[in-house]
Amino acid sequence: MSASIEFNQLHKRYGAHPVLRDFDLKVQAGETVTLIGPSGSGKSTVLRILMTLEPFQEGCLTLDGISYHQPHGKPPFFASDVHLHKVRAKVGMVFQSFNLFPHMTVLRNLVEAPTAVLGLSRDEAEGRAVELLHMVGLSDKAKAYPGQLSGGQQQRVAIARALAMRPQVLLFDEPTSALDPELVGEVLSVIRSLAHEHDLTMLMVTHEMRFAREISDRVCFFEGGRIVEQGKPDQIFNAPEQERTKRFLSSVLNG
Amino acid sequence: MDLSVHLPNLLGAAATSLLICSLSLLMAASLSFGAGVALFAGPAWLRAIAFAYVEIFRGTSLLVQLFWLYFALPLLGISLPPFLTGVLALGLNTGAYGAEVVRGALRSVSQQQHEAARALNFTRNQTLWRIVLPQSLVEMLPSFSSLAVQNLKDTSLVSMITIADLTFKAQEIRNLTQDTVAVYGTALLIYFAMAMSIVALMRILETRVARSTGRLS
C-alpha cells in the first residue's frame, strides 16, 4: 500500500519570509523522489509540512486523497489534531538527528507507538519489531539504549521505528548528514533495500548526489522555495537544462 | 547537666519532624506534578489556576502562611488541628517550588522529541506521559533533593503553632536545663543526620531512574 501526494499552489512563510511560493509537486504512489538543492531552499520544509510538523498559509495539500485542511474548514488554517491524526497514520519520517527516545531500549522504541497508537498487542508489536531489527541488521541491539549505539546504528533503528507504523509514505530528511563519513554507507544500504523491496512512496532530502541518482525515480532541484527543474536522475545529472541546476551540480560534484 | 536523659525526648520529637516532613513531601510531590504539568501543557484556565497557586505560595512567607492557616482560618469558620495545619502549609509551599521544577524539566526536553512523537502519531497526552515526562524525571531529581532538605529544615517553623517537633522540644529542654550549647548542638546534629539521609535516599533514587531511562549503563 502506498499513497500519492499532491501540493497545489502552496505558500509557506516564516513571518514575512517566504519559504515556499506557488509550490506544486505531485508524487505518484510508490514513487521515490529526491529533493536536492542548496541549503535554505525549502527542501526540508516540504517534508516537515507533509509530516504536519509545520502549518502552511495558502494552497492545498492532499495525501492519498485526504486534505490537510479540515473538510469544509476554512483555509489557510491547518486542520485539527483529530483530522491530522488520520493524515499522520499514513506518513512516517526519518530525521537528520535520529530523534530516538533516549529513555527507552531499542526494542521499546519500536514497540511503543504500534501498541499505543495502533493498538497492537505487545506480542504482535514485538514480533514485528524483531523482524524490522533483523532487516536493518541490528538484531543484537534490541536491549541496548540509543545512547550506546553509533550514529549509523541509531539511524537504522530510527528507520525501523518509522516502518513499524506501516506508513505508506516515508520521508527522509537528510538521513546521513549528521553521520561520520564511514557510517553513511550502512544507512544508505538500508534505504536502498527499502526502495527496492517495499511498496513505499519515498521522499528524500539529501546531499548524497550519487545515492540520489542511484535510487530515485525522479530528482527535483530546489532553489528559493521552488522546484527549478525536475526529471529522471540521468537527465538531471547528465543533461540539466537550467543554468542554476548546472551551477549547483558542478559545485557539489566537483567541489 | 547530663543530656543523655533528654536524648530520647529529642529523638522522639525528631520523629515528629520527620513525619511532618514526609507527609508534607508526599503532598508536595502530588502538587508539584499536578501544577507543573498544568503549567506546561494544561488548558488556559488550568494554567491560570496553577500559576496563581505557584506565585502566591512562592511569593509569601511560609511562617505567615502557617499563621494564616492556624490563626486566621478558624476565624473564617475552618479550624484544623495543628499537625494537619503544619503538613498543609509545608506541602503547599514546597509543592509551589516543586511545580516550577517540574515545569522547567518538562520544558528542557528537546523539540525534536516532540516532533519524533508527532511523526509516530502519538496524541498530545501520550507524548507527555510516554515521551516527555519520563525523560524529564532525571532532570527533576537533583532539584527535588534540595527542596526535600529545605522542607525538612522548614518543619522547624511548626514549633510556632504548638507542635512538639525537634525545635520545640529542644527549646523546652534548654529552658529546663539551661544547657544551651549542648541542647541546640544536639538538635543541629539530628537535623543534619536527617538531611543527609534524605540526600542519600534521593541519590539512590536518581541512580535508579537514570539506569531505567538509559542514562547509565
Side-chain angles (χ1 to χ4, degrees), chain B residues 9-149:
Chain B
N9 265 336
L10 279 179
L11 288 175
T16 304
S17 292
L18 206 55
L19 185 64
I20 291 178
C21 178
S22 312
L23 292 176
S24 58
L25 281 180
L26 275 180
M27 181 179 162
S30 339
L31 282 169
S32 297
F33 278 98
V37 168
L39 284 172
F40 178 72
W45 63 271
L46 196 59
R47 270 206 315 274
I49 293 174
F51 179 81
Y53 156 62
V54 167
E55 295 311 331
I56 287 170
F57 279 88
R58 288 201 311 172
T60 56
S61 147
L62 172 57
L63 188 58
V64 180
Q65 289 163 21
L66 202 59
F67 283 165
W68 198 88
L69 288 178
Y70 190 65
F71 296 115
L73 211 52
L75 300 179
L76 303 177
I78 305 167
S79 199
L80 302 170
F83 188 85
L84 188 60
T85 308
V87 169
L88 202 63
L90 281 162
L92 283 164
N93 195 270
T94 305
Y97 284 95
E100 276 299 304
V101 171
V102 170
R103 188 182 70 101
L106 289 171
R107 277 183 54 165
S108 76
V109 174
S110 78
Q111 196 54 37
Q112 295 176 331
Q113 290 288 310
H114 291 266
E115 292 186 352
R118 186 180 289 189
L120 291 167
N121 217 358
F122 285 111
T123 63
R124 277 167 209 268
N125 273 334
Q126 287 172 332
T127 303
L128 177 65
W129 297 109
R130 290 166 188 267
I131 310 299
V132 178
L133 195 71
Q135 288 184 58
S136 63
L137 221 46
V138 179
E139 305 290 330
M140 296 174 197
L141 288 176
S143 304
F144 277 165
S145 178
S146 326
L147 282 181
V149 170

Side-chain angles (χ1 to χ4, degrees), chain A:
Chain A
M1 280 290 284
S2 55
S4 63
I5 298 164
E6 186 168 349
F7 288 84
N8 196 346
Q9 293 289 298
L10 195 112
H11 278 262
K12 161 76 185 167
R13 288 182 293 270
Y14 289 118
H17 174 69
V19 187
L20 297 174
R21 288 175 292 182
D22 299 328
F23 183 73
D24 290 316
L25 176 66
K26 273 189 196 176
V27 179
Q28 302 299 318
E31 206 179 3
T32 297
V33 175
T34 313
L35 312 179
I36 62 170
S39 24
S41 57
K43 302 167 303 215
S44 290
T45 306
V46 170
L47 302 193
R48 292 177 58 79
I49 287 174
L50 269 170
M51 193 63 257
T52 74
L53 300 178
E54 305 264 357
F56 50 89
Q57 281 79 29
E58 283 167 51
C60 287
L61 174 57
T62 55
L63 190 145
D64 204 14
I66 304 179
S67 169
Y68 277 54
H69 290 305
Q70 194 89 295
H72 316 298
K74 284 185 203 157
F77 301 108
F78 233 17
S80 69
D81 248 19
V82 176
H83 178 72
L84 290 180
H85 199 72
K86 288 180 222 154
V87 176
R88 281 183 215 128
K90 296 173 181 289
V91 192
M93 185 159 180
V94 174
F95 298 89
Q96 182 177 350
S97 48
F98 334 130
N99 302 1
L100 293 177
F101 302 131
H103 60 300
M104 297 179 184
T105 61
V106 164
L107 188 70
R108 183 95 189 278
N109 262 280
L110 268 63
V111 165
E112 193 75 1
T115 51
V117 178
L118 302 180
L120 296 191
S121 72
R122 187 142 287 258
D123 282 350
E124 202 178 343
E126 281 188 7
R128 196 195 277 193
V130 167
E131 270 172 44
L132 286 165
L133 283 178
H134 178 72
M135 191 199 88
V136 299
L138 290 170
S139 297
D140 55 331
K141 298 293 185 191
K143 292 204 172 93
Y145 283 95
Q148 299 163 328
L149 304 183
S150 73
Q153 291 171 330
Q154 289 190 52
Q155 192 60 299
R156 286 188 278 155
V157 172
I159 293 170
R161 182 178 68 173
L163 288 172
M165 295 299 282
R166 301 247 163 106
Q168 297 170 16
V169 177
L170 194 50
L171 311 170
F172 292 89
D173 189 9
E174 304 195 28
T176 58
S177 295
L179 296 176
D180 292 334
E182 75 270 22
L183 301 177
V184 169
E186 61 188 68
V187 171
L188 293 187
S189 77
V190 167
I191 300 174
R192 186 180 291 124
S193 69
L194 283 178
H196 293 316
E197 291 171 20
H198 286 253
D199 187 19
L200 263 179
T201 307
M202 299 205 326
L203 228 71
M204 176 156 60
V205 171
T206 185
H207 295 293
E208 298 283 336
M209 293 303 150
R210 226 180 318 149
F211 185 66
R213 181 169 189 175
E214 175 197 330
I215 70 152
S216 308
D217 298 313
R218 179 154 49 114
V219 175
C220 301
F221 172 68
F222 247 75
E223 200 178 66
R226 287 202 168 125
I227 293 174
V228 173
E229 185 170 2
Q230 55 180 313
K232 295 260 180 225
D234 282 341
Q235 185 254 308
I236 295 290
F237 285 97
N238 289 341
E241 285 165 8
Q242 300 290 324
E243 199 51 42
R244 285 184 288 178
T245 316
K246 285 180 199 164
R247 228 182 303 136
F248 174 76
L249 286 174
S250 74
S251 76
V252 294
L253 294 176
N254 305 326

